[in-house]
Amino acid sequence: MNVRRLIPTTAVAGAVALGLTALSACSTSDAADGGNGDKLKVTASFYPMQFLAEKIGGEHVAVTSLTKPGVEPHDLELTPRQIGSISESDYVLYLKGIQPAVDDAILQSGVKNTVDAATLTTLENHGSEVSGHDHGHEGEGEEEHADEHGDEHGHEEDAHEEEAHEEGDGHNHGEEGGADPHIWLDPVKYAEVAKGVGKSLEKADPDHAADYKKNTEALVGELGELNTAYETGLKNTATKTFITTHSAFGYLAERYGLTQQGIAGIDPEAEPSPARIQEIHTIAEKEKATTVFFETLASDKTAKTLAKDTGLKTGVLDPLEGITEKSQGADYIEVMKSNLAALQKALGAK
């Protein structure tokens, strides 16, 4: 991530102190109490985590997202009230490496039931070019994504998480050599995360464990159907290369044998270099790419400029970091189906 976009830790620490002074933290010794004896109070960092919490938690949870619709999650700045609300949560679900301000606030919140979704699957390094053909799942380093964050909060982990934690922190979003956090754009990895979230909710609120298990199985089934649709829909295409302003689709490309060519990098607001733009020109001609994709929460200026220079079309490929009235669907499943249709059209699916 661009350094200019990071929120200083000192500022967050100050806000944490202010937030904790203004709002006293409730006890998290018994998360099932839900604070007022009703629903489990869940805080989700941004939309992909909110979707999981709502689908799996169902009627037993009250979910609050720290990232409002239309806000680019990487740019999120927390108010003292939001920081205080984190400390009052019974359960916090986030994805370390996406939002530094959230990571710091959660670290200092003291909430017992805190789950980092990145510990529930394996993260990998993806550059601006990611190919499903030459970037396979190497066994080496697959567990290097993990961190020890969960241990700091005392939430219980299964054997997979403990194994994943052994290698230290690899979530340096957008930095060279850092792991790509966009795991939710791969339905298979997202299903792995869903299973982990379900188990953690069962532990946090055992009185409703049966419902959480049932809801998890239903969601995993939906994600399985989505994966099948992508496998079938992208099997036979005229080209395997797509160009995007936001290199968020590395896991998706790898899963379905495609090659993502990012104009800039993982940071959606980063400006591409002249050399990279020229390289994209060459790649588009060689690989017969037809479309430059941009996203709903960032400017389409770069995509339109590049498309005009190369004679390519523009289209929307939504990284699903938030749902707005501009989204091509009402929720994760619907937008992912729209993304599939956009890819099929751009790649010349047969």
Side-chain angles (χ1 to χ4, degrees):
M1 179 182 290
N2 232 329
V3 174
R4 63 183 171 82
R5 308 177 71 209
L6 296 178
I7 299 166
T9 303
T10 52
V12 173
V16 168
L18 180 59
L20 294 181
T21 301
L23 295 164
S24 59
C26 68
S27 169
T28 56
S29 59
D30 185 2
D33 283 346
N36 59 3
D38 295 323
K39 297 184 178 183
L40 196 74
K41 293 167 68 175
V42 176
T43 295
S45 57
F46 72 130
Y47 178 70
M49 301 299 102
Q50 175 189 348
F51 179 77
L52 289 179
E54 290 176 344
K55 292 286 283 187
I56 296 172
E59 64 182 6
H60 304 303
V61 300
V63 182
T64 300
S65 177
L66 294 173
T67 308
K68 302 305 178 188
V71 174
E72 216 291 327
H74 306 280
D75 293 334
L76 181 68
E77 296 185 37
L78 296 176
T79 65
R81 180 176 293 276
Q82 284 180 305
I83 292 169
S85 72
I86 293 174
S87 69
E88 290 195 325
S89 303
D90 300 315
Y91 179 99
V92 177
L93 179 61
Y94 76 117
L95 179 56
K96 188 176 180 184
I98 284 281
Q99 300 166 291
V102 173
D103 295 349
D104 289 338
I106 289 173
L107 183 65
Q108 299 180 56
S109 70
V111 176
K112 177 185 175 183
N113 294 292
T114 301
V115 178
D116 173 10
T119 65
L120 304 177
T121 186
T122 52
L123 270 69
E124 298 164 17
N125 296 337
H126 293 144
S128 59
E129 176 183 352
V130 180
S131 170
H133 300 291
D134 58 17
H135 187 92
H137 289 268
E138 299 94 357
E140 181 182 1
E142 277 217 301
E143 301 299 342
E144 292 181 3
H145 72 281
D147 56 70
E148 297 174 359
H149 196 66
D151 291 332
E152 294 166 4
H153 292 291
H155 75 269
E156 295 182 29
E157 298 161 347
D158 59 25
H160 179 87
E161 290 175 84
E162 291 173 355
E163 181 183 11
H165 282 205
E166 294 175 0
E167 298 294 339
D169 189 349
H171 306 290
N172 300 311
H173 180 54
E175 296 176 9
E176 186 175 353
D180 179 358
H182 296 86
I183 48 178
W184 66 92
L185 291 167
D186 174 353
V188 176
K189 284 190 175 293
Y190 200 43
E192 290 175 0
V193 174
K195 291 176 184 177
V197 170
K199 289 178 182 177
S200 66
L201 280 172
E202 288 176 38
K203 292 175 183 177
D205 184 12
D207 288 347
H208 301 114
D211 285 345
Y212 296 141
K213 185 178 182 65
K214 175 184 171 184
N215 293 344
T216 299
E217 289 174 352
L219 177 57
V220 169
E222 281 190 80
L223 294 172
E225 292 174 2
L226 185 64
N227 174 51
T228 300
Y230 266 78
E231 284 182 335
T232 304
L234 298 173
K235 184 174 291 184
N236 297 308
T237 57
T239 179
K240 296 294 183 183
T241 299
F242 64 97
I243 301 168
T244 176
T245 56
H246 184 184
S247 298
F249 302 92
Y251 292 107
L252 186 150
E254 183 175 344
R255 177 68 59 191
Y256 304 112
L258 307 177
T259 298
Q260 169 186 251
Q261 288 289 349
I263 295 174
I266 289 179
D267 184 339
E269 300 291 348
E271 291 291 332
S273 66
R276 180 57 180 163
I277 291 177
Q278 183 55 49
E279 189 178 10
I280 291 292
H281 278 243
T282 304
I283 290 168
E285 291 182 4
K286 180 181 177 183
E287 302 297 332
K288 296 181 174 58
T290 66
T291 307
V292 178
F293 286 114
F294 60 94
E295 60 172 281
T296 50
L297 296 184
S299 171
D300 61 356
K301 181 180 177 182
T302 301
K304 286 185 175 179
T305 300
L306 182 61
K308 183 179 179 181
D309 290 346
T310 57
L312 299 174
K313 301 172 185 175
T314 58
V316 173
L317 200 59
D318 196 331
L320 267 158
E321 293 178 345
I323 295 287
T324 70
E325 66 279 357
K326 294 181 180 179
S327 300
Q328 302 296 307
D331 65 10
Y332 172 86
I333 299 293
E334 289 185 7
V335 176
M336 281 294 284
K337 288 179 179 178
S338 294
N339 280 347
L340 172 57
L343 282 169
Q344 288 177 300
K345 181 178 179 181
L347 299 175
K350 300 168 185 175

